[in-house]
Amino acid sequence: LSKRMWDQFDFEQDYGDNGNNTDAEKNPLVTNTKIVDCSRALWSSSSTLRNDATMEYQQQGMALFCSLYKHLQTTLSSHPNTVIRLFLHRLPIGQGAIAMPLLMSKIRKENLPVVVLATARPWKWLSSSPSSNNNYGSSNNDAMNKLDALSSLRTATDVTLSLDSFSSFRSPPPPEFSLLQGVLTVRKC
């Protein structure tokens, strides 16, 4: 896992040059990059589950895990000697809290050459209003469940970073931070 992605490919054997060719069709960093749409796993398959947010998150989280793991298996079978870098952009926290612990334990148990980078927007998750017809009970329980899901997602990771932008502040940052755009906090390492 410590190698650079560029070093995983033999340019002379695979591409007929020494790596100086920068054409997109011969660049292994471009040709070996795949975009996998896992949004179908996040669609609710049953309208009866819409009344219970917890069951909906569990079902969608399991479907997300299955689709991600299936993608890892097919990629490893077609490229067995490469490290897979999985980037999950704006991972939904409710579903991610179910899928990520399962995916990370599977990766660790099978010792797979996989690196996962997931981005999430917890402020949107925590500020979203509960649906009017859910079975959570009070809005206080909903807030606690959201914090529990966020905590579960954070504990499934090896490293957790938080980026706070100064552009979201109502007042300007202190003068010593005037040349900076924000603060990067390492929450867990």
Side-chain angles (χ1 to χ4, degrees):
L1 294 177
S2 63
K3 289 185 176 181
R4 296 180 308 175
M5 188 172 180
W6 193 267
D7 295 337
Q8 294 178 12
F9 305 100
D10 185 6
F11 288 97
E12 292 182 21
Q13 179 184 3
D14 296 340
Y15 299 97
D17 66 354
N18 59 0
N20 295 329
N21 192 345
T22 58
D23 293 334
E25 67 272 357
K26 291 198 174 199
N27 185 345
L29 301 180
V30 174
T31 58
N32 290 316
T33 299
K34 294 180 184 173
I35 297 175
V36 179
D37 183 13
C38 294
S39 62
R40 283 187 179 245
L42 301 177
W43 291 348
S44 179
S45 60
S46 172
S47 61
T48 60
L49 287 177
R50 294 185 196 275
N51 294 336
D52 189 2
T54 305
M55 287 298 294
E56 186 176 354
Y57 290 146
Q58 288 176 355
Q59 183 183 32
Q60 292 174 353
M62 285 301 295
L64 179 62
F65 162 72
C66 292
S67 66
L68 290 173
Y69 188 66
K70 183 178 175 182
H71 169 68
L72 291 179
Q73 286 179 321
T74 57
T75 305
L76 282 173
S77 64
S78 62
H79 302 291
N81 295 325
T82 61
V83 175
I84 299 173
R85 288 159 178 88
L86 187 62
F87 175 60
L88 305 172
H89 183 61
R90 294 182 180 170
L91 179 70
I93 293 175
Q95 295 85 346
I98 303 294
M100 290 308 294
L102 296 171
L103 183 66
M104 295 308 294
S105 65
K106 196 75 165 162
I107 289 170
R108 290 176 181 137
K109 180 181 176 189
E110 296 180 12
N111 201 16
L112 299 176
V114 176
V115 177
V116 179
L117 172 66
T119 64
R121 299 186 298 177
W123 63 90
K124 287 203 170 237
W125 166 254
L126 294 173
S127 67
S128 65
S129 63
S131 61
S132 59
N133 57 353
N134 68 5
N135 292 332
Y136 269 86
S138 70
S139 62
N140 190 25
N141 284 340
D142 184 54
M144 289 304 295
N145 288 334
K146 287 183 174 188
L147 287 173
D148 289 343
L150 184 59
S151 177
S152 173
L153 184 60
R154 285 181 177 158
T155 57
T157 63
D158 293 327
V159 177
T160 303
L161 304 173
S162 172
L163 181 62
D164 299 308
S165 171
F166 290 144
S167 65
S168 64
F169 286 4
R170 294 180 193 258
S171 61
E176 60 268 17
F177 296 121
S178 64
L179 298 176
L180 302 176
Q181 296 296 318
V183 175
L184 176 68
T185 307
V186 179
R187 293 182 176 262
K188 177 181 167 186
C189 185

